[in-house]
Amino acid sequence: MIISRNPYTGEEVGHLKESTKTEIDTILEEASKRFKTWKKTDFKHRAGLMKNAAKELISNKQEYAETITKEMGKPISQAIAEVEKCAWVCEYYAENAEKQLTDESVKTDAQKSYISYEPIGVVLAVMPWNYPFWQVFRFAAPALMAGNIGVLKHASNVMQSANNIQKIFEKAGFPEGCFQNIPVGSDKVESIIRDKRVKAVTLTGSNAAGSAVASVAGEEIKKSVLELGGSNALVVFKDANIEETVKTCIQARFQNTGQSCIAGKRLILDESIADKFLELFVQQAGELKSGDPLDEATYIGVMAREDLAKDLEDQVQQSVKAGAKIILGGKRKGAYFEPTIITGVTPDMPVFKEETFGPVISVTTFNDEKEAIQLVNTSSFGLGVSVFTQDIEHVEGLIPEFEDGAVFINELVKSDPRLPFGGTKTSGYGRELSIHGIREFVNIKTVYFK
């Protein structure tokens, strides 16, 4: 039995019986058969259904958001925003998929030659709990619009949300089998990937999970896309607008109670403005309201599980023993962890070199831009970096120096359906969203007429 439990109250939210081997086989067979007809539907038909999904999300956003909040503790206002963003990605691909996958004529010595983009079949999505709707929809919207079929293995603590997502597509009018949730534990993932009916896999999750999935997919010679951990830097140069930058950095680190791969986890400050910046940063972080995630005024909720909060506590304590200093927070109570700011952090400390998946931010200073860039790139992760400065022309010349998959100037790193999303190094490979995301799971076919 897979049980979803409210991390704030400890109460059971719901439970599902784990799928048997026979039930998994039935789901995959239904998905495989559905692909034979779904791939022949036209874009106009698919777009109409996808717009229906967007309408369903908006119409019942409160209900879906409350389930998210009860299952993994996301503050309700942020859960509603997540559901609304899912509607956006559905609308985006409904409006753009046909253009993104239209045959491309290429002039060669042939009478006619072109590139076509054709669906590949059943794609397995292995998804995490921290954005239980968004992580799924940013895969599902382009995959279904491309003519593929989706099967979902969601995190065990958000299975009610997983069921809701399947129901959303069904309510939107998608044929049975187009998108199905498979309620199973992680121990069943390998056999599903190896099933001949599954043609590819996408995973958002930990580095360990990504490595395991990539290994199995590699053995089976199946396409995989991985979006893994991140330890994004927030680089603040001395000419930055301090007040605006503090406001942005607060959101970058503490939204979703800090449980985001693209959160700004390492604050890297110019030494000359560090004291001034931190005075305001500590003040605003200390004013963030903690409490019941279902309270609309709450900004910091509980973490999704108590063991995750304990892991974060251990990272903080190890860093303090190594010489770092806590200037705000640092205490844990059950699954709740205070907004925490740690200064005097060096690259060899856990809060710098590891991913801190919760409301903790490390602070390191630099003396020149060369040192700042080196501190950013020292990380084994490469998801994104935010740079704050008023010298736009100069910073544009620095962009090639950063090894990350995204560079945001005077803004927090965020995903946008119109832009590709993905990382480098141990943050994974492949891209989601935009034209690049929808083309990850298609057969890019060359056609040549002599």
Side-chain angles (χ1 to χ4, degrees), residues 38 41-59 64 83-98 100-101 133-134 136-150 165-175 178-179 417 433 438:
W38 179 247
T41 58
D42 58 39
F43 283 105
K44 184 178 180 181
H45 176 66
R46 297 175 202 165
L49 299 181
M50 195 60 70
K51 287 180 179 178
N52 289 345
K55 291 175 183 176
E56 170 61 24
L57 283 160
I58 296 300
S59 297
Y64 296 134
V83 176
E84 291 172 340
K85 191 170 185 179
C86 293
W88 179 23
V89 78
C90 289
E91 291 167 351
Y92 172 80
Y93 280 109
E95 295 168 1
N96 292 282
E98 182 173 10
Q100 292 167 338
L101 299 179
F133 263 49
W134 172 244
V136 177
F137 273 92
R138 74 182 188 191
F139 150 74
L144 293 174
M145 284 302 301
N148 291 313
I149 299 297
I165 293 169
Q166 179 175 329
K167 289 176 184 176
I168 287 165
F169 286 116
E170 290 172 351
K171 286 183 177 180
F174 283 85
C178 263
F179 187 92
L433 303 176
I438 199 170

Side-chain angles (χ1 to χ4, degrees), residues 170-368:
E170 290 172 351
K171 286 183 177 180
F174 283 85
E176 288 187 13
C178 263
F179 187 92
Q180 298 177 85
N181 174 45
I182 309 179
V184 292
S186 299
D187 59 324
K188 301 294 193 303
V189 171
E190 179 176 343
S191 62
I192 296 173
I193 296 173
R194 293 191 188 279
D195 192 289
K196 291 182 179 180
R197 291 165 293 192
V198 173
K199 304 304 179 184
V201 58
T202 180
L203 175 140
T204 298
S206 68
N207 289 57
S211 179
V213 163
S215 177
V216 175
E219 289 179 11
E220 297 295 327
I221 319 297
K222 294 182 179 181
K223 176 71 177 287
S224 62
V225 169
L226 304 180
E227 195 274 280
L228 307 177
S231 187
N232 289 7
L234 302 163
V235 184
V236 185
F237 286 110
K238 60 185 177 182
D239 68 332
N241 181 317
I242 299 295
E243 291 186 359
E244 288 299 318
T245 300
V246 166
K247 182 180 177 181
T248 301
C249 289
I250 288 289
Q251 183 184 2
R253 172 64 281 201
F254 297 112
Q255 68 176 350
N256 201 31
T257 314
Q259 300 168 116
S260 171
C261 56
I262 56 172
K265 301 179 176 83
R266 298 179 294 140
L267 183 56
I268 300 176
L269 302 174
D270 187 293
E271 178 69 37
S272 66
I273 52 96
D275 289 344
K276 181 180 179 182
F277 185 96
L278 285 174
E279 181 180 2
L280 188 57
F281 190 72
V282 169
Q283 176 191 326
Q284 292 192 17
E287 293 171 351
L288 296 174
K289 184 181 184 334
S290 297
D292 186 346
L294 284 171
D295 183 345
E296 290 187 3
T298 296
Y299 194 87
I300 300 290
V302 289
M303 293 179 64
R305 300 193 311 267
E306 185 174 351
D307 64 297
L308 299 171
K310 288 180 178 178
D311 290 343
L312 187 64
E313 183 180 39
D314 185 58
Q315 290 174 305
V316 169
Q317 291 177 349
Q318 286 185 41
S319 298
V320 169
K321 287 179 181 178
K325 180 182 179 182
I326 297 173
I327 62 171
L328 180 73
K331 296 178 181 178
R332 177 187 69 83
K333 184 178 180 181
Y336 172 72
F337 203 99
E338 293 179 316
T340 300
I341 301 171
I342 307 177
T343 59
V345 175
T346 57
D348 59 332
M349 295 179 181
V351 293
F352 186 100
K353 67 181 181 180
E354 299 173 5
E355 181 175 27
T356 50
F357 215 68
V360 171
I361 189 165
S362 69
V363 182
T364 307
T365 60
F366 65 89
N367 292 305
D368 56 47

Side-chain angles (χ1 to χ4, degrees), residues 121-156:
V122 179
V123 183
L124 170 66
V126 182
M127 293 291 140
W129 48 262
N130 60 328
Y131 284 89
F133 263 49
W134 172 244
Q135 308 280 18
V136 177
F137 273 92
R138 74 182 188 191
F139 150 74
L144 293 174
M145 284 302 301
N148 291 313
I149 299 297
V151 290
L152 170 66
K153 187 282 170 201
H154 218 326
S156 296

